[in-house]
Amino acid sequence: GDHESLAAIRLRFGHRVCARPLALEARSPGQQVHLGQVVHASPERGLRCLHREQPPGTTCANYHVRFLCPLEPTWTEWGAWGPCSRSCGGSGTRVRRRSCKPAKRNPPCPGRATEGQKCHPSPCPGNPPAVPECTWRATPGGSWWPAAPTLAGSRPLSQPVSHPGRVLVASSDAQGRFTATGLCPDPSANLSAHRDGFAPGLSPIVTNGSGVAVAHLKLRRLEKPYMVLHPTAKVREAGQDVTFCCQASGVPEPQNYSWYHNGTLLEGTAQSQLELRGLAQEQAGTYHCRATSEAGAILSEPAQLTVLGEPPPGAAGGEMGIMNPGDSNRSCLLFMLHGRCGFEVCCSPGNLWGRVTAADTGEPLRFGLIFLGGRKVGFTGYQGSFTIEVPPDTRRLVTRFVDGQQRLVDAVKVLPFDPRGGAVYQEVKMMRKKEPVELDGGQSNSIPLGEAGGREPVGELVLPAGVFLRPSGEVFNGTVKASVTFVDPRDVGTASAASSDLSFANARGEIVPLRTYGMFAVDFREGDSGRELQAGPVQVRMDAGQVRMPEHLHKMKLWSLNPESGLWEEEGVLRPAGRKRKRREERTFLVGNLEIRERRLFNLDVPEDRRCFVKVRAYSNEKFNPYEQLEGVVISLINLEPQPGFPSNPRAWGRFDSVVTGPNGACLPAFCDARRPDAYTALVTATLGGEELEAVASSPKLNPNAVGVAQPYLGKLGYRRSDHEDAALKKTAFQINVAKPDPNNVDENNGPVYSYRSLRECEEAPVSANHLRFYRVEVDKYEYNVVPFKESDVTTWTGDYL
């Protein structure tokens, strides 16, 4: 039969099952009718279904279970300290408080609701105390000196005193050390360190009773907020209550939240939780939140609230109500208790599996580490294969692959997945580290960026004398082994190996795209010991001749990739600077400064706001029947450089995106232009389980009915399959001009290219609307298994084979 014991569920899901479930419910996924089976279920033991107890001729179905959990009492954050009981002179006491939530119908919270500590107010007038000399030392950037990275030139450190404001105490030296005299240790006082670009560090002052206190502080670089929990769609009846939740992370942790209804700010909503009581019809619509910190802002994805009917007479409010119809295809249910956040029970949207290889040789990444955000979740197999369970409520899956042997550059990928729970296969490519060159740390050096293949370098990295530092802050002037790996967008083959999805969060918190002119990863090590070195500040010089689009010259910036959020964060601005004569010609450079304190990927990018969406569908054969569409197909779109007169090389790439097809195809973001149809072009491919799908032919004669786009718009798009001019080439890709549709032309308002504000129209477009197509080639109608599988490699075995 089917057994789902509580002990087994706890072993597998751990803290996701509450300590004292109140009830248990069971459901057979996909079944919408009552099965009439005998099932034993209790919150103490779990579920048990025995074949012998079922009606003749039937056996137990496969059941999923969910638990009803009580809202555990929790403390709020401690409030601010109250005033000191003495206004001046001797020691007094001060108190801070917290409250238990919820306070009704639950056991009390463990611990105390109040906490007190001694306080030392200012000396009373006419009675100044004797002040001994106190010496402190701080090491910003690490927990202990001298092993931590140092932050030379930091802003003065400050100590809060009894009156509002702060007193400047000292400045740290190149090793992060400082000394302040004339102050005494105080258990109620904290020391804080500040530096531009970093979150403040805070530390209590600890003394050994000898009149000397030592404080150790750690500063973390500012990181823009990113969403870890988005609000979800809700369906409620009028008169009921609803709660939306969102949560953001970053450095420092965002504390300020705002909520919006249909794009309008809701006043008095400063928490990560939005509660609406006694719903009315006019409160239906979309809701999203915005989280802010001193590092920036981020917007959540919108959530739809549907309000049904009028409240029945005598109806009481409540959070439990109607299941969201959008969840009907999932094998588990979502619910929330008492309108509080953090008590949702749900299941993983599905699995990702695939293979990680080197981009140049196809060598597998053997036993490489896999991280989701900052959490290690597994490793690759001997042949580079991997499987990742998508965490619940994931909207953007940021995955990092790390080569333990340090031969390949860390790859940060934003992998598309099927939110409806299907398994998706991914081929991941990693760039090989460039062989290191030896530099003299006591001399000035420069390293070209993108000089491979006989091309002119995109720019250079200028390293002044004495720029290399050990983690302790000590200058290293010995032999340095420097490896700088450049991802050159002038080579279209590097697009699959580039990291992230080239997106950043703007000042409003919207995630918007970038267009790259090149990425580079650096690795500096001591020549003898191989220990890692830091560097900064270094100079990045970019050849302005590589930027043929005038407006980009004033928008070019330096970016670094946050490996946890997968978003690019601004490091500095590249500004026009001096000229340099080379090969009898003068070259103008864009120059910016950069500090290399940690292993990150850096980028030369400009924001791009000319955006559209392209509609693509995949079919099981070339009959293109609407009911034979394929789901779980990974569609990839590479934005190629515009034609001459726009940026530089028409064969280079500027951006890439991947989307997984659902029951209604996929919409891929792309750069587009309304003035010239051929200004921006895109190369599109499709894969299913490692198998490349075929695009519709464009030669010897173009058939609009087969391509899926009617004339004359098809001619404007310039559709061409990859073998259009050479029949020996593969047939698995097509290229189009991403011509932005003219709103005044009826022939261009039915797809396959949609304006950026028409994403919903693209996603909901009927199959009769214009769209671009891929299909599977049926070599043998009985050959259905296209999953890469080797019997000798255990890591490729899946549940289907076992």
Side-chain angles (χ1 to χ4, degrees), residues 484-539:
V484 179
T485 306
F486 188 73
V487 180
D488 196 337
R490 295 174 297 181
D491 179 2
V492 72
T494 62
S496 61
S499 282
S500 179
D501 59 354
L502 286 171
S503 298
F504 77 104
N506 63 14
R508 293 190 63 250
E510 298 174 315
I511 295 181
V512 292
L514 292 168
R515 219 261 301 143
T516 185
Y517 281 88
M519 309 176 188
F520 61 96
V522 300
D523 187 17
F524 300 137
R525 296 184 180 272
E526 296 184 19
D528 297 330
S529 66
R531 289 196 292 262
E532 196 167 353
L533 294 171
Q534 302 171 358
V538 302
Q539 195 176 78

Side-chain angles (χ1 to χ4, degrees), residues 131-464:
V131 180
E133 181 176 293
C134 308
T135 302
W136 299 334
R137 178 185 68 182
T139 59
S143 300
W144 299 97
W145 180 84
T150 60
L151 300 173
S154 65
R155 296 212 316 249
L157 292 90
S158 59
Q159 177 196 21
V161 293
S162 57
H163 58 80
R166 302 186 176 194
V167 175
L168 301 181
V169 174
S171 295
S172 61
D173 62 15
Q175 279 70 46
R177 297 173 296 193
F178 72 94
T179 300
T181 59
L183 299 171
C184 286
D186 186 336
S188 64
N190 287 316
L191 194 71
S192 60
H194 302 259
R195 188 191 177 189
D196 290 338
F198 290 80
L202 193 67
S203 172
I205 304 171
V206 181
T207 180
N208 56 12
S210 64
V212 176
V214 178
H216 299 273
L217 297 97
K218 181 178 181 179
L219 301 188
R220 296 177 62 191
R221 63 179 294 159
L222 291 176
E223 293 183 359
K224 281 200 169 186
Y226 58 94
M227 281 290 164
V228 295
L229 177 64
H230 294 263
T232 57
K234 307 284 185 181
V235 179
R236 295 290 183 270
E237 291 182 344
Q240 288 188 315
D241 304 335
V242 72
T243 302
F244 288 105
C245 308
C246 74
Q247 183 181 349
S249 185
V251 178
E253 196 83 16
Q255 299 295 329
N256 300 317
Y257 289 84
S258 304
W259 285 90
Y260 296 79
H261 176 220
N262 293 334
T264 301
L265 176 65
L266 298 176
E267 298 293 340
T269 57
Q271 304 297 322
S272 61
Q273 175 178 311
L274 174 66
E275 297 184 14
L276 303 175
R277 308 264 179 205
L279 288 172
Q281 291 284 350
E282 58 269 19
Q283 291 178 285
T286 59
Y287 289 82
H288 72 269
C289 77
R290 181 173 185 260
T292 58
S293 71
E294 62 180 281
I298 189 68
L299 291 176
S300 73
E301 293 185 8
Q304 184 72 28
L305 173 62
T306 303
V307 181
L308 305 176
E310 294 296 329
E319 176 72 11
M320 296 292 289
I322 302 170
M323 193 181 84
N324 185 350
D327 297 327
S328 60
N329 291 322
R330 304 186 66 175
S331 59
C332 56
L333 303 178
L334 305 180
F335 64 92
M336 184 177 295
L337 302 178
H338 303 290
R340 298 293 179 180
C341 298
F343 288 87
E344 293 191 356
V345 178
C346 65
C347 64
S348 168
N351 291 330
L352 280 179
W353 61 290
R355 192 164 178 259
V356 188
T357 57
D360 54 351
T361 64
E363 173 191 359
L365 174 65
R366 295 190 169 103
F367 310 116
L369 299 178
I370 305 174
F371 294 83
L372 290 184
R375 179 172 59 93
K376 186 173 74 172
V377 295
F379 56 89
T380 61
Y382 183 75
Q383 294 296 334
S385 55
F386 68 91
T387 300
I388 299 174
E389 182 178 351
V390 181
D393 296 326
T394 298
R395 303 293 180 90
R396 194 166 183 270
L397 186 67
V398 180
T399 311
R400 179 162 55 105
F401 298 90
V402 178
D403 179 15
Q405 300 182 26
Q406 295 299 307
R407 296 174 302 170
L408 304 175
V409 178
D410 294 358
V412 178
K413 300 288 186 179
V414 181
L415 298 177
F417 61 93
D418 185 355
R420 301 173 71 246
V424 177
Y425 181 87
Q426 296 281 355
E427 286 279 358
V428 178
K429 304 293 183 181
M430 297 180 68
M431 290 290 293
R432 187 175 300 279
K433 278 188 177 180
K434 190 172 182 180
E435 288 296 320
V437 296
E438 290 192 352
L439 306 176
D440 184 352
Q443 303 291 328
S444 296
N445 299 277
S446 66
I447 300 176
L449 301 174
E451 81 286 6
R455 294 183 290 263
E456 284 288 334
V458 172
E460 61 183 357
L461 197 63
V462 180
L463 307 164

Side-chain angles (χ1 to χ4, degrees), residues 91-137:
S91 298
T93 57
R94 60 178 182 175
V95 177
R96 63 176 181 176
R97 294 177 172 82
R98 59 180 178 175
S99 59
C100 180
K101 59 175 188 179
K104 299 178 180 179
R105 301 186 303 274
N106 278 285
C109 297
R112 296 178 298 173
T114 60
E115 184 178 65
Q117 70 171 197
K118 291 183 178 181
C119 54
H120 302 272
S122 303
C124 293
N127 187 26
V131 180
E133 181 176 293
C134 308
T135 302
W136 299 334
R137 178 185 68 182

Side-chain angles (χ1 to χ4, degrees), residues 768-801:
S768 59
N770 288 336
H771 61 273
L772 298 161
R773 295 168 171 171
F774 286 94
Y775 64 94
R776 286 192 63 190
V777 178
E778 294 187 356
V779 178
D780 185 336
K781 67 178 182 179
Y782 296 108
E783 182 184 355
Y784 295 110
N785 178 24
V786 296
V787 179
F789 170 68
K790 293 182 66 176
E791 187 174 357
S792 60
D793 182 9
V794 178
T795 60
T796 66
W797 294 13
T798 67
D800 296 334
Y801 298 109

